[in-house]
Amino acid sequence: MMLPILLLLPVLSPALAWIPLEDWESGNVTSSVGESGQCVCHVYLPDTSFPADRVQNMQQVSKDLILEVEIQMNKMVSYEGKLEVYLKELTDMTIRVAVLESNPDNYIKLDFELLKVELREFEVLVTQLKNSLNTSSPLFDSLYIEIRNMTLIVDQLESYDKSNLEVIRIEFGKLQKKLEECQKDQAFVTPDIGNCNHTGIMDISKPMVVQMNAHLNSGFQFGGWGKDSKPVRGYESMYWYGAYSSPSVHDFYLYSNYDKLLLRSAFKHHDLPSGWEGTGNNYIVHGNTIYYQHNTPFSMSKLNLTSSKFDYRVIPEASERFSYSYSDHQNMDFAADENGLWVMYASEESKGRIVLAKIDEKSFGIADQWKTGVYKQLAGNAFMACGVMYATRSVDLNTEEIYYSYNTRTREEKHHNIRFQKFQEKYTNLDYNPTDQKLYMYNSGYYVSYNVKFNKN
């Protein structure tokens, strides 16, 4: 008969779970038969005390781990913020390097030195951040590549000696002035400013080629340059310039004097707003106001350079069909001389011949008109001097001539053969300035000027 066997074990406390296995095996286990015939097992454990010191040690380790995790998380947040700042700085430097590459007018020697210092500092910061995170993320690799590329670009730009551009420009300006003085020495006579006691133009000097346009772009074939023909006080030395790759008129640049023009350092830039764009390139500056041909409606327009106020007047009989031979859309040609402000155009009524009109500057209307005998489409350009209109045309690739004149005082027409040299074959702006008795020509992207000699016999 099977006797029921009762196995009696002491209740183990949770603390026993912390006792190593070898301590369990070192305990004493015995067995015996009880009074009622049960099988009784006795287990004697060596140590049943609670290991409080071990639990305390584990709790401290756990707290330390939590604290370290928080510290590392805070570092990550801090590094993330720094990384955003570094990326912004890198973006800013990328933009500045792009400016250096694209526009030679916007940098000087210090720009290169500052960029190189900032690039070195940025590389050190990225290295510190990488070491702190103890990682080699692809982001860091891309940052290093970007820094190396930018450094290479800056070194290449500097190696082109563009870092000395300002010095070069200043020296170039000095050379240009010396050349101008040299040509002045060969000039005909000292100009008699404001005096119209003569019988008209007798000769034109050799061309004085100043330099390429301020954009340094040979594609800017259509434009004009010169001085204010009736300067206001304080702006007697001001020069102006405007050009584009088509006959469209978008903006104008103003220079305080001749040196600033040579250095391409404008003190003001007028960008024509939408609705006030022009065309034709036969504009001038007179009385601190730019006069140009307006698109819509087809009219003469003006921009006051002091107030930035625009205005326009429609000339009903003026036609958009007739232009000069060198360029399209030169329907209205503005001019100024010792007698005031003028506009030249052709009409259907005049059968394409130039109509000369005197502008009333106060009302911005037409004060008087004269019909000439010269066909506009056969002329290269025209200008006014002492109340006489002179028309030009091409002789050959390098030669132009004044072939026709109309005197508004006597209403007399004359034919001439006054030849002068051109720097390039075509030009889009030719104007006489009474303040220095010079012709200003925009010759296929170049500033060109001429001295004018009048016949005083």
Side-chain angles (χ1 to χ4, degrees):
M1 178 177 178
M2 295 281 298
L3 293 176
I5 299 175
L6 178 61
L7 179 64
L8 298 178
L9 295 172
V11 179
L12 300 178
S13 68
L16 295 179
W18 296 98
I19 301 175
L21 183 60
E22 57 270 17
D23 291 341
W24 282 70
E25 294 175 351
S26 64
N28 188 11
V29 179
T30 60
S31 61
S32 62
V33 179
E35 295 178 356
S36 53
Q38 303 97 331
C39 180
V40 179
C41 293
H42 301 273
V43 179
Y44 298 94
L45 297 177
D47 184 8
T48 58
S49 62
F50 186 79
D53 56 337
R54 297 181 182 179
V55 174
Q56 184 177 4
N57 180 62
M58 179 179 177
Q59 289 176 337
Q60 185 60 45
V61 171
S62 177
K63 288 180 180 179
D64 291 343
L65 287 174
I66 293 173
L67 180 60
E68 182 65 25
V69 170
E70 290 179 352
I71 292 173
Q72 294 300 326
M73 289 179 66
N74 291 333
K75 283 184 179 181
M76 288 295 295
V77 173
S78 175
Y79 293 151
E80 182 180 4
K82 288 181 180 180
L83 187 58
E84 290 179 358
V85 173
Y86 297 160
L87 289 174
K88 183 179 182 303
E89 290 180 358
L90 184 59
T91 302
D92 292 341
M93 283 189 284
T94 303
I95 294 173
R96 287 161 59 193
V97 171
V99 169
L100 296 187
E101 288 185 290
S102 62
N103 195 340
D105 286 339
N106 291 340
Y107 59 81
I108 57 176
K109 180 178 178 62
L110 288 178
D111 285 327
F112 288 110
E113 298 300 329
L114 183 58
L115 270 173
K116 288 194 289 186
V117 170
E118 291 181 357
L119 283 169
R120 287 195 294 268
E121 292 178 350
F122 189 77
E123 186 173 9
V124 171
L125 291 174
V126 172
T127 301
Q128 291 177 349
L129 181 60
K130 180 180 179 181
N131 294 338
S132 298
L133 294 176
N134 193 23
T135 182
S136 58
S137 168
L139 176 60
F140 291 109
D141 295 335
S142 65
L143 284 175
Y144 281 123
I145 294 173
E146 188 73 21
I147 292 171
R148 283 195 294 271
N149 289 340
M150 290 176 63
T151 303
L152 181 61
I153 291 173
V154 172
D155 290 340
Q156 288 176 341
L157 287 174
E158 191 174 28
S159 68
Y160 295 153
D161 200 28
K162 291 183 179 180
S163 57
N164 297 315
L165 184 62
E166 289 297 326
V167 176
I168 293 172
R169 285 183 177 174
I170 292 172
E171 293 301 318
F172 179 75
K174 291 179 181 178
L175 289 175
Q176 289 293 105
K177 294 186 73 173
K178 287 181 180 179
L179 178 60
E180 186 178 17
E181 291 297 326
C182 179
Q183 293 195 348
K184 281 183 179 179
D185 292 340
Q186 299 174 358
F188 313 132
V189 292
T190 302
D192 191 3
I193 307 301
N195 185 1
C196 289
N197 188 22
H198 52 72
T199 59
I201 294 177
M202 185 173 69
D203 204 356
I204 303 295
S205 73
K206 291 183 178 181
M208 167 62 186
V209 182
V210 178
Q211 65 181 23
M212 185 177 277
N213 60 69
H215 289 92
L216 296 177
N217 191 333
S218 60
F220 278 38
Q221 297 281 309
F222 305 88
W225 79 290
K227 295 180 66 177
D228 191 329
S229 53
K230 185 185 174 183
V232 298
R233 187 175 181 179
Y235 292 89
E236 293 85 355
S237 301
M238 185 184 77
Y239 283 78
W240 59 270
Y241 155 74
Y244 199 57
S245 57
S246 73
S248 301
V249 180
H250 294 277
D251 56 3
F252 297 96
Y253 295 84
L254 305 179
Y255 305 87
S256 57
N257 54 49
Y258 186 72
D259 290 338
K260 295 297 183 181
L261 174 76
L262 295 180
L263 295 174
R264 296 181 282 275
S265 178
F267 75 86
K268 200 164 189 179
H269 174 214
H270 284 276
D271 205 358
L272 300 183
S274 177
W276 287 102
E277 298 91 343
T279 189
N281 311 111
N282 274 312
Y283 33 73
I284 63 166
V285 176
H286 182 77
N288 209 42
T289 300
I290 295 178
Y291 293 86
Y292 66 98
Q293 179 179 315
H294 192 208
N295 282 342
T296 307
F298 173 62
S299 59
M300 57 180 187
S301 182
K302 68 176 182 178
L303 164 62
N304 187 297
L305 298 176
T306 302
S307 64
S308 296
K309 181 181 178 182
F310 290 84
D311 198 3
Y312 74 93
R313 291 290 186 275
V314 174
I315 304 177
E317 62 269 25
S319 173
E320 295 182 74
R321 195 161 68 92
F322 306 102
S323 181
Y324 289 133
S325 61
Y326 288 133
S327 177
D328 296 331
H329 307 295
Q330 292 187 316
N331 313 110
M332 293 185 182
D333 182 9
F334 294 91
D337 65 358
E338 291 81 358
N339 294 345
L341 183 63
W342 309 81
V343 63
M344 293 168 280
Y345 58 89
S347 66
E348 299 294 339
E349 181 185 354
S350 70
K351 294 181 171 53
R353 294 180 177 90
I354 293 178
V355 177
L356 175 60
K358 183 74 184 306
I359 297 176
D360 185 321
E361 295 179 42
K362 290 185 179 180
S363 65
F364 196 31
I366 301 301
D368 205 350
Q369 291 181 336
W370 296 262
K371 293 181 180 179
T372 74
V374 61
Y375 288 95
K376 185 166 187 177
Q377 291 175 312
L378 297 180
N381 218 293
F383 61 91
M384 296 294 298
C386 287
V388 179
M389 187 198 81
Y390 295 90
T392 65
R393 67 183 176 188
S394 175
V395 176
D396 55 42
L397 296 179
N398 302 313
T399 310
E400 195 80 358
E401 72 172 355
I402 297 174
Y403 74 103
Y404 175 90
S405 69
Y406 183 90
N407 191 314
T408 59
R409 185 177 59 85
T410 64
R411 298 182 181 272
E412 180 184 9
E413 294 179 286
K414 286 185 179 180
H415 292 275
H416 305 273
N417 185 23
I418 305 172
R419 298 190 174 189
F420 57 97
Q421 296 178 9
K422 293 183 292 187
F423 179 64
Q424 301 284 342
E425 178 185 3
K426 296 181 179 181
Y427 58 93
T428 55
N429 188 293
L430 180 67
D431 274 303
Y432 169 79
N433 194 304
T435 66
D436 54 13
Q437 292 187 348
K438 286 186 176 182
L439 286 177
Y440 289 87
M441 174 190 286
Y442 189 77
N443 195 183
S444 295
Y446 288 87
Y447 304 151
V448 180
S449 66
Y450 301 86
N451 292 317
V452 178
K453 184 179 181 179
F454 292 97
N455 188 354
K456 295 185 179 181
N457 296 328

